[in-house]
Amino acid sequence: MEGPVMQFITKLVYSVWLNILWFICCLPVFTVGASTTALFYVSLKIAKNEEGNLTKSFFHSFKENFRQATIIWLILFGVGIVLGIDAYVFYHMRFESVLWALGTAVFVVALAAYGIIWMYIFPLQARFDNTIRAMFKNSLMIGMRFLLCTVLMALIYFIMAVVVIRVFTPAIIFGEGLCALLCSYLLSNILLLCEEKTEEGRGGISPAQETLKSGERKWSLKDVHGREKIGYIWEYYKLPIVAAGIFLYVAGYMIYGSATHKDTILYTALVNVSAGEAFAEELSIGFLDYTGADAGKEEVGLYKELYLVEEPEAMNHEYAYASNTKIVAAIAGNTMDVVLMDQRAFDIFSNRGYLCNMEQLLTQKAPDLYEELWSCLVSNKVILEDNSVDVQLDPSVSYMAVTDEYPMAVDVSHSALMEKEGLNGTLYLGIISNSPRVDMAITYLQYLTETYSQ
């Protein structure tokens, strides 16, 4: 019964019971602080093999620390809401300006400090009597001082979250109870050191008396030189240095991203069409030169190496499936405007209703261009409604579909640009029906078809 295996199992069971108590006492929500404090109060006792009656000790701490722990929790909850709103704003407004970049860097540092306080403040509340302000300050300073412990505690919570969410959901029965117990083993010696310092402070031992007692002179930065000075600075200022490094890295990254960010004026896709480097430059940089756009601030987004087929038995079907997923996502996200494709891809795009009515679009937006290209317009069918699902469920059902047909693409095979590239077969250009950059797409069509071979 005293063997290590039984002790391990016993403490594992303790963590489950504590997790249940913690969860029940957290249900009113405003009691989360008191419940977490009580959890660590008992967990720290278990780490020192002084657990006694778990339930009695839990509710003793819950009652004793209720007022102050609740205030701490409400403060943390309010700050968490503010940080959550900031995170949402910074995520959706990223790369807008240098000010946002610096703000994001500050936010990352603040979020790290918030996480450190979260991990340390309730264990400190469980072991020490102090003011709320001092609890917050000490939590941050201890977390900064014992950086390795802080990282290990964060890792424990992260692993538990991944296991519960992604691997084995029933592991939630251990949840916070096991995390608190493991963290208590890490914190045990740290809190013991804090207790010794607290006792020294209560005894009224001044720094001078402490020096006499130890027989050594207290060091300062002036007393060390060379490598020792570097070690001294790192030992006492490691977290501020790390925080400053994170701040500078994030700020530099955001400033660089803001400075090098380019606005995409058009998204073009090549489907079942291979393009060399020279052809890709003609489709992107060449169009920027044609429109007089600033290549340093604007760009053409070019999707290359997309392969699309519908036959499951076709070669590279897995690659086609990945390409199809990318195409669907791009169209849904309004990041695909123009498609250059072969006959097979043209049929698929048309049937799915991805392409707009080119005749209607050009007559409304660019009648002169329509007069020039009307003979090159190519019609295809769009499936408006069918019973394909019923056919899959019951092969005896006959396939039926409601279709429509209209011009969906322009045959650009004989344009000077395409013949210069030496592409084989027929090449079609279509404009995606939900494109928010229709005017630019028409300009792109004009660029590619401006000169036709006679």
Side-chain angles (χ1 to χ4, degrees):
M1 293 298 293
E2 299 297 327
V5 175
M6 288 303 300
Q7 288 186 15
F8 172 78
I9 294 174
T10 299
K11 292 187 177 182
L12 202 61
V13 174
Y14 285 168
S15 70
V16 173
W17 177 239
L18 288 175
N19 186 59
I20 294 172
L21 290 176
W22 173 81
F23 179 76
I24 293 173
C25 292
C26 283
L27 289 178
V29 180
F30 70 90
T31 58
V32 169
S35 183
T36 307
T37 301
L39 173 64
F40 274 101
Y41 177 80
V42 181
S43 297
L44 289 166
K45 281 183 170 292
I46 294 175
K48 296 169 64 178
N49 295 316
E50 300 174 354
E51 53 266 25
N53 189 309
L54 301 185
T55 306
K56 184 177 179 180
S57 297
F58 183 93
F59 285 106
H60 167 76
S61 177
F62 184 90
K63 180 180 179 181
E64 187 178 62
N65 295 285
F66 181 82
R67 180 178 177 278
Q68 186 160 317
T70 300
I71 296 174
I72 290 173
W73 152 246
L74 292 176
I75 294 173
L76 288 172
F77 183 70
V79 173
I81 292 175
V82 173
L83 290 175
I85 295 172
D86 288 343
Y88 180 84
V89 171
F90 284 123
Y91 177 79
H92 288 279
M93 299 294 290
R94 59 190 184 279
F95 300 134
E96 288 295 322
S97 66
V98 174
L99 181 62
W100 283 107
L102 295 175
T104 303
V106 173
F107 168 75
V108 171
V109 175
L111 190 63
Y114 180 76
I116 291 172
I117 292 172
W118 246 113
M119 289 187 289
Y120 281 91
I121 195 165
F122 293 114
L124 290 179
Q125 176 66 30
R127 289 289 287 270
F128 299 99
D129 291 324
N130 214 329
T131 63
I132 293 175
R133 180 179 180 182
M135 284 292 183
F136 277 91
K137 178 183 176 182
N138 292 340
S139 299
L140 183 59
M141 296 305 295
I142 293 173
M144 292 166 59
R145 176 66 179 83
F146 299 98
L147 191 58
L148 178 59
C149 178
T150 302
V151 172
L152 291 175
M153 288 172 64
L155 191 61
I156 288 171
Y157 286 109
F158 175 76
I159 292 174
M160 178 58 72
V162 171
V163 169
V164 171
I165 296 172
R166 302 292 298 274
V167 181
F168 187 63
T169 304
I172 197 172
I173 191 66
F174 297 100
E176 181 68 16
L178 182 58
C179 290
L181 184 58
L182 294 175
C183 290
S184 294
Y185 280 102
L186 294 174
L187 289 169
S188 184
N189 291 332
I190 295 175
L191 296 182
L192 181 62
L193 180 63
C194 293
E195 288 176 358
E196 292 174 356
K197 293 295 182 181
T198 302
E199 291 300 325
E200 291 176 0
R202 288 175 179 171
I205 301 176
S206 66
Q209 290 173 328
E210 186 178 358
T211 301
L212 293 174
K213 182 178 178 180
S214 63
E216 298 179 355
R217 185 168 59 87
K218 200 173 185 69
W219 280 23
S220 68
L221 189 60
K222 297 178 180 179
D223 299 319
V224 292
H225 306 280
R227 292 183 178 180
E228 292 182 348
K229 179 173 289 189
I230 296 174
Y232 181 93
I233 293 173
W234 175 251
E235 178 66 22
Y236 288 94
Y237 302 102
K238 58 168 74 94
L239 195 64
I241 292 173
V242 172
I246 294 174
F247 176 85
L248 292 175
Y249 172 78
V250 175
Y253 179 80
M254 300 294 283
I255 292 171
Y256 174 79
S258 179
T260 59
H261 174 68
K262 295 182 179 181
D263 294 323
T264 303
I265 62 173
L266 191 75
Y267 291 93
T268 302
L270 298 174
V271 185
N272 297 356
V273 177
S274 60
E277 185 176 345
F279 186 44
E281 288 185 359
E282 291 285 355
L283 295 176
S284 54
I285 299 175
F287 179 63
L288 294 176
D289 294 338
Y290 176 80
T291 58
D294 185 355
K297 296 181 180 179
E298 296 174 312
E299 65 179 0
V300 174
L302 187 61
Y303 297 100
K304 298 189 295 182
E305 299 179 357
L306 295 177
Y307 178 65
L308 196 59
V309 293
E310 286 194 327
E311 299 83 2
E313 66 277 3
M315 292 180 60
N316 301 322
H317 181 70
E318 293 80 4
Y319 184 79
Y321 179 82
S323 296
N324 179 68
T325 303
K326 188 172 184 178
I327 290 169
V328 172
I331 292 175
N334 293 327
T335 56
M336 185 177 292
D337 305 300
V338 175
V339 186
L340 290 169
M341 53 200 157
D342 68 354
Q343 183 65 54
R344 179 181 291 183
F346 179 39
D347 291 338
I348 296 173
F349 269 76
S350 301
N351 292 341
R352 294 180 181 179
Y354 290 161
L355 304 175
C356 67
N357 188 324
M358 292 294 291
E359 183 177 28
Q360 186 180 48
L361 178 66
L362 292 178
T363 53
Q364 292 178 355
K365 296 279 188 177
D368 292 339
L369 184 60
Y370 171 73
E371 290 296 328
E372 181 183 346
L373 299 177
W374 69 268
S375 61
C376 301
L377 297 181
V378 183
S379 297
N380 211 329
K381 290 183 179 181
V382 56
I383 299 174
L384 303 177
E385 184 181 347
D386 67 3
N387 63 340
S388 58
V389 175
D390 296 333
V391 172
Q392 290 178 1
L393 295 175
D394 185 1
S396 64
V397 176
S398 300
Y399 178 76
M400 297 178 62
V402 178
T403 64
D404 193 7
E405 186 172 349
Y406 48 82
M408 299 184 188
V410 177
D411 183 351
V412 294
S413 306
H414 301 292
S415 67
L417 179 59
M418 301 307 164
E419 292 195 342
K420 176 183 175 183
E421 180 63 19
L423 295 176
N424 297 322
T426 306
L427 190 65
Y428 300 99
L429 182 147
I431 297 177
I432 302 299
S433 57
N434 69 339
S435 168
R437 291 164 284 270
V438 172
D439 291 337
M440 190 61 69
I442 293 175
T443 304
Y444 195 75
L445 172 62
Q446 184 175 358
Y447 162 68
L448 295 181
T449 61
E450 195 166 58
T451 304
Y452 266 81
S453 299
Q454 300 297 325

